[in-house]
Amino acid sequence: MKVLGVDPGLTRCGVGVVEGLAGRPLKMVGVGVVRTPPDAEIAQRLVLIERGIDEWLDAHRPEYVAVERVFSQHNVRTVMGTAQASAVAMLCAARRGLPVALHTPSEVKAAVTGSGRADKAQVGAMVTRLLRLDAPPKPADAADALALAICHIWRAPAVNRLQQAQAAARRTSAPVRTLKGSR
Amino acid sequence: MKVLGVDPGLTRCGVGVVEGLAGRPLKMVGVGVVRTPPDAEIAQRLVLIERGIDEWLDAHRPEYVAVERVFSQHNVRTVMGTAQASAVAMLCAARRGLPVALHTPSEVKAAVTGSGRADKAQVGAMVTRLLRLDAPPKPADAADALALAICHIWRAPAVNRLQQAQAAARRTSAPVRTLKGSR
């Protein structure tokens, strides 16, 4: 499976494409950053992010898009912009019919380092090792986007089973509360 | 001027179109709500909001779009969804080259009621009066969207002057700090 990971941000939106399957060697297909000028108006910045994400989707045709789940307990100054950038990334993917998965920062860290509290350097080091790169991708947003894609490839089997069960429950109008509660 | 006001939300996104000029009678052109199912996935909900906003822009061809400015100190459970819905509204407008203005809830309340701390009923009553409607628009999100559009029409002369000054300052590379600080 080919996954585009997106580490959302208004100033720097990390993007990374990884191809692979759980239990097999992973391959980096591309990595980069979509940037927007901090002094531009917010609406214009969102248009630039849309354009950048669309270009990555056109260039690499991923089958899945994994976006970092934004929490409101983060730095309140930046969290709104992060939420808005993530909305644009999700929109670009869903508009094409691509499945969108959200993973929390601690899920991503735990997936690639074994610890949900790993620091940036540790995540960068593991991404470098897992993708057999010569050096950690810079900036950290780019490395985080690759980590998101790796996390999705490794978590996908479990996530897909849960989504299928939830969809089946919705179709039969059975209560989904127990499924949601068990996440 | 014709303004589309958007009160962003994932479950109910209020939309209202008002035509008029500061100091002249105002006219309601349309009002409604873009809804998305609470049990749908977030990415799908953003696609539905995009479709709904695009339909309103196609149907009414506003010259300006006014969106409520979202603050992170609001209810943390809903603020992320509100930020994401507002991003989609801003994106739809800016993609068409329409100017996007953000107004805070207290700016909107102050504009239509004279008090930045007015309640929903007061805002609804003044919207009804200013647009000469038979009854307050329901739900409150729809009335709030009309209030945003009215607020923009009344504040536009001052906001436009500020934006022109900022754009001129950016073009000449002059420092814009003093302008920003005076907002």
Side-chain angles (χ1 to χ4, degrees):
Chain A
M1 60 197 283
K2 197 195 272 186
V3 180
L4 170 68
V6 180
D7 182 29
L10 275 184
T11 304
R12 286 185 310 275
C13 203
V15 281
V17 182
V18 178
E19 196 158 17
L21 287 172
R24 304 263 195 89
L26 301 164
K27 185 188 153 202
M28 183 179 83
V29 178
V31 66
V33 178
V34 175
R35 294 173 195 272
T36 77
D39 60 344
E41 288 188 3
I42 167 81
Q44 282 307 326
R45 300 179 77 179
L46 297 174
V47 172
L48 293 173
I49 291 172
E50 178 185 48
R51 200 172 298 164
I53 299 285
D54 272 337
E55 282 170 5
W56 276 80
L57 291 171
D58 285 338
H60 295 291
R61 305 268 161 197
E63 298 144 283
Y64 300 86
V65 176
V67 182
E68 187 177 294
R69 189 185 290 276
V70 186
F71 282 109
S72 48
Q73 57 263 41
H74 284 179
N75 182 342
V76 289
R77 282 198 199 166
T78 59
V79 75
M80 305 307 294
T82 310
Q84 291 170 329
S86 79
V88 174
M90 287 190 272
L91 181 66
C92 289
R95 216 159 41 190
R96 294 173 185 234
L98 295 177
V100 176
L102 302 174
H103 301 289
T104 67
S106 48
E107 283 167 352
V108 175
K109 289 173 187 172
V112 300
T113 75
S115 163
R117 285 173 298 177
D119 63 15
K120 292 256 173 215
Q122 215 177 329
V123 171
M126 283 307 296
V127 164
T128 310
R129 184 173 309 169
L130 293 167
L131 298 175
R132 292 163 317 248
L133 309 176
D134 296 329
K138 295 271 167 70
D141 314 78
D144 285 347
L146 291 171
L148 263 157
I150 296 171
C151 169
H152 185 70
I153 290 170
W154 287 351
R155 285 173 57 97
V159 171
N160 289 346
R161 276 197 302 276
L162 180 65
Q163 286 180 340
Q164 282 162 8
Q166 285 174 330
R170 272 202 292 271
R171 276 197 299 276
T172 59
S173 298
V176 293
R177 203 165 297 157
T178 44
L179 276 167
K180 279 186 181 159
S182 70
R183 275 177 112 157
Chain B
M1 60 198 284
K2 198 196 269 186
V3 180
L4 170 68
V6 180
D7 182 30
L10 274 184
T11 304
R12 286 185 309 275
C13 202
V15 281
V17 182
V18 178
E19 196 159 16
L21 288 170
R24 304 264 195 88
L26 301 165
K27 186 187 152 203
M28 182 179 84
V29 178
V31 66
V33 178
V34 175
R35 294 173 194 272
T36 78
D39 60 344
E41 288 188 2
I42 167 79
Q44 283 306 326
R45 301 180 76 180
L46 297 174
V47 172
L48 294 174
I49 290 172
E50 179 186 46
R51 199 173 298 163
I53 299 286
D54 272 337
E55 282 171 5
W56 275 81
L57 292 171
D58 285 338
H60 296 289
R61 305 268 160 197
E63 297 145 283
Y64 300 86
V65 175
V67 181
E68 187 177 295
R69 191 186 289 277
V70 186
F71 283 109
S72 48
Q73 57 263 41
H74 284 180
N75 182 342
V76 289
R77 282 197 199 167
T78 59
V79 74
M80 304 307 293
T82 309
Q84 292 170 327
S86 80
V88 174
M90 287 190 272
L91 180 67
C92 289
R95 215 159 43 190
R96 293 172 185 234
L98 294 177
V100 176
L102 301 174
H103 301 289
T104 67
S106 48
E107 283 168 352
V108 176
K109 289 173 187 174
V112 301
T113 74
S115 162
R117 285 173 297 177
D119 62 15
K120 292 256 173 215
Q122 215 178 327
V123 171
M126 283 308 296
V127 165
T128 310
R129 185 173 308 169
L130 293 167
L131 298 175
R132 292 165 316 257
L133 308 176
D134 294 329
K138 295 271 168 68
D141 315 76
D144 285 347
L146 292 171
L148 263 157
I150 296 170
C151 169
H152 186 70
I153 290 170
W154 288 350
R155 286 173 58 97
V159 172
N160 289 348
R161 277 196 301 275
L162 179 66
Q163 285 180 340
Q164 282 162 8
Q166 285 175 329
R170 270 200 294 270
R171 276 196 301 274
T172 60
S173 299
V176 293
R177 204 164 297 154
T178 47
L179 276 167
K180 278 187 181 159
S182 69
R183 271 176 118 156

